[in-house]
Amino acid sequence: MGTLALDNENGSSDVYLSLGLKTSGKGVVKTPRVLSPLSSILERSVQRNEMLLETTNIKEVITIFHGLRAPPLSIRQYIDRICKYSGCSPSCFVVGQIYVDRYLKCTEVHLTSFNVHRLLITSVMLAAKFMDDAFFNNAYYAKVGGVSTAELNRLEMKFLFTIDFRLQVNLETFTKYCSQLEKEAAGVQIERSIQACGIKENWSKSKKEDSTYARTVAR
């Protein structure tokens, strides 16, 4: 197995804890925090690529990872589903992202809503097989991903040959991706805080206006 040693002493341990890749001994995190920034990065990439394809003469490269239509599940919903039913370690989602990037660099494919789901289930499945001590067979992952076993088998082979079976991920690369995800997580949290403050501010302003109106009527 290609298990990564996350108990290093170079300061990255806090990053792993922050993303939910390892526990602090105070309880098991049900939903790893890494899922949120990962889905945010992928969603932004999809939006950017689809805008690029719509506004330029770049022709989209169609592969076996492309569906006839975009799945009804959002990227975040799909990642949550994989996490819930696959039982893979949280680190597999980081490694899966690395695999997807390797695949994209080996091709002229753009990540879009038509291919991101199949790339995700394939890459996370491969990460689980390579990283985890225990994992399910392809038939099970196919049910989780919403594709047939035969299709997932084809996706797996295509993915592996495209990246030249380069499944090994060194600690430096893994840590770099984790740092990017942590920065994304911080940005998402700030954005949510701003939105929450905006709602509270508008609510407070509305309360003041209602109060002023009430005093006016009372006069």
Side-chain angles (χ1 to χ4, degrees):
M1 294 299 158
T3 304
L4 289 162
L6 301 185
D7 297 320
N8 58 324
E9 300 177 357
N10 62 0
S12 298
S13 182
D14 290 341
V15 176
Y16 303 148
L17 282 171
S18 173
L19 294 173
L21 304 183
K22 55 183 292 189
T23 60
S24 61
K26 298 179 180 179
V28 178
V29 179
K30 292 184 178 180
T31 302
R33 192 182 178 212
V34 68
L35 304 186
S36 181
L38 175 59
S39 60
S40 178
I41 288 174
L42 293 175
E43 286 167 358
R44 188 166 60 249
S45 179
V46 165
Q47 292 172 358
R48 183 173 60 247
N49 288 333
E50 291 184 341
M51 179 66 69
L52 178 68
L53 292 169
E54 288 178 5
T55 57
T56 64
N57 294 323
I58 298 176
K59 189 174 181 180
E60 184 175 5
V61 178
I62 306 299
T63 70
I64 65 171
F65 292 96
H66 282 69
L68 296 176
R69 61 185 64 85
L73 291 180
S74 68
I75 293 175
R76 178 57 197 266
Q77 290 172 328
Y78 196 67
I79 289 178
D80 283 344
R81 176 180 173 80
I82 295 174
C83 180
K84 181 178 180 180
Y85 294 107
S86 71
C88 66
S89 62
S91 297
C92 289
F93 290 93
V94 181
V95 175
Q97 182 192 10
I98 296 172
Y99 289 170
V100 170
D101 280 352
R102 285 180 181 177
Y103 173 85
L104 296 175
K105 288 177 182 178
C106 292
T107 65
E108 295 181 354
V109 174
H110 288 81
L111 199 65
T112 69
S113 56
F114 290 90
N115 61 24
V116 63
H117 295 76
R118 284 177 172 81
L119 285 170
L120 270 172
I121 187 61
T122 305
S123 63
V124 174
M125 179 186 72
L126 287 171
K129 287 183 175 183
F130 190 73
M131 300 290 299
D132 291 349
D133 294 328
F135 51 85
F136 294 101
N137 58 26
N138 283 24
Y140 182 84
Y141 286 112
K143 290 181 180 179
V144 173
V147 296
S148 68
T149 303
E151 181 180 9
L152 187 57
N153 290 340
R154 292 194 297 271
L155 295 175
E156 181 183 27
M157 285 297 99
K158 181 63 177 178
F159 196 101
L160 285 170
F161 277 100
T162 301
I163 66 172
D164 196 24
F165 290 80
R166 292 184 298 112
L167 298 177
Q168 185 67 46
V169 175
N170 60 44
L171 188 58
E172 181 181 358
T173 300
F174 183 82
T175 301
K176 183 181 74 172
Y177 272 78
C178 286
S179 296
Q180 293 172 347
L181 287 164
E182 187 190 34
K183 290 178 182 178
E184 181 70 21
V188 170
Q189 185 61 43
I190 291 173
E191 184 178 350
R192 287 177 179 173
S193 298
I194 291 175
Q195 291 175 349
C197 288
I199 293 173
K200 290 180 180 178
E201 183 179 342
N202 291 335
W203 183 79
S204 298
K205 184 176 181 182
S206 176
K207 289 278 290 183
K208 288 180 180 179
E209 290 175 350
D210 291 344
S211 177
T212 301
Y213 177 73
R215 287 198 299 270
T216 303
V217 172
R219 288 175 184 172

